[in-house]
Amino acid sequence: LQTVQAMLPVLVRDEMRGENNEEDIFGEPNELAAVPDADFESIWRLLMVRLLAHENYRQLFRDAYPEVPQDELHFSHAAEGLAHFIEVAFTVRGSPLDGYLGGDDTAMTDKEKRGALLFFGDAKCGYCHGGPRLTDDTLHNLGVRPITRGPSDRQFVDLGAAHRSHGGQTERFAFRTPSLHHVAATGPWMHNGAYTTLVEAVVHHLDYEVGLRTYDRSQLAPEFRREVHRSAEVLDDVAATITTADGRPVRALSAIEVDEIVSFLE
């Protein structure tokens, strides 16, 4: 799956390939943009021409695929390399949670354990953030305040998965659940960096629509504050498709309980 995911983004014009009649960063014609959108194989072939033009990449391919002649290398080989990098770079080993699950009862503090019980219990965070990777890999609209525009200048607001899928209304403002491994080190949080503290990100989950409508943009740097959408029309549009069939807390959570959940996440 990771290999397939690595092969698809390079096909997209506005994120990777560029548009017709534009030049590359060296002032040369962009041969990738000239290929018809449906001709995947030609795009992948031209990408390999670019990669194999550099000796350092040729050596990396020789090291990784010593049995494959250079003229038989396909972009799927590059995609496998990207997938392997993702697998290795984002594999979590040796965290306190790993130690605790491995049988070391002292690996987590009592406060972290209370946070874990809330996370997988009354707070229901584990509904979406379950399994070994702490994600359901599913799309949700959590009512996060939109910031700036979509993938192109023609799109006034970021519609999330609806820009790239055929889900229609059900995927407006929906984004994929991230893994929570290393979450304390990957701020700012949410898909657009709306929250600058992990506490605020957790509190947002207690009531999505309240979080959407009462969002405090002052936490952002000045250059980002003006990009935050504030019109009632946009907020109502986001609220209309907020995910409801998911894990909401079964009761109100206190500030102490939120702090315990954050300790577990850290």
Side-chain angles (χ1 to χ4, degrees), residues 51-60 62:
L51 290 173
L52 294 173
H54 300 274
E55 173 55 30
N56 56 341
Y57 282 128
R58 291 197 295 270
Q59 185 58 54
L60 288 170
R62 286 193 292 268

Side-chain angles (χ1 to χ4, degrees), residues 114-257:
R114 291 194 299 271
L117 290 173
L118 285 164
F119 185 94
F120 293 109
D122 283 359
K124 296 185 73 176
C125 312
Y127 185 95
C128 297
H129 292 287
R133 296 180 51 248
L134 300 179
T135 173
D136 61 4
D137 283 317
T138 301
L139 298 169
H140 300 276
N141 173 6
L142 304 189
V144 177
R145 181 68 72 89
I147 301 175
T148 195
R149 59 181 69 251
S152 81
D153 291 342
R154 297 186 298 275
Q155 292 155 334
F156 174 68
V157 63
D158 189 349
L159 300 178
H163 287 303
R164 291 281 177 265
S165 67
H166 302 287
Q169 286 292 116
T170 62
E171 294 184 356
R172 287 175 68 82
F173 305 105
F175 297 84
R176 196 170 304 282
T177 307
S179 168
L180 292 187
H181 288 299
H182 295 312
V183 66
T186 56
W189 292 272
M190 312 311 282
H191 68 272
N192 58 3
Y195 292 109
T196 56
T197 72
L198 199 49
V199 171
E200 292 290 338
V202 172
V203 168
H204 177 92
H205 287 72
L206 305 183
D207 191 314
Y208 299 152
E209 187 160 359
V210 168
L212 168 68
R213 297 191 183 278
T214 64
Y215 176 73
D216 179 11
R217 64 194 179 106
S218 69
Q219 64 193 283
L220 300 178
E223 61 266 32
F224 297 120
R225 292 175 196 166
R226 60 177 174 267
E227 301 294 335
V228 176
H229 288 276
R230 289 177 284 167
S231 75
E233 181 181 4
V234 169
L235 300 190
D236 290 345
D237 195 13
V238 176
T241 55
I242 282 179
T243 301
T244 55
D246 65 359
R248 303 297 182 87
V250 298
R251 57 176 173 79
L253 300 179
S254 69
I256 291 175
E257 289 175 318

Side-chain angles (χ1 to χ4, degrees), residues 17-33 50:
R17 284 204 294 137
E19 300 294 338
N20 282 317
N21 302 317
E22 71 177 8
E23 298 177 340
D24 64 20
I25 60 173
F26 302 107
E28 299 294 330
N30 181 0
E31 77 281 12
L32 292 172
R50 285 191 178 191

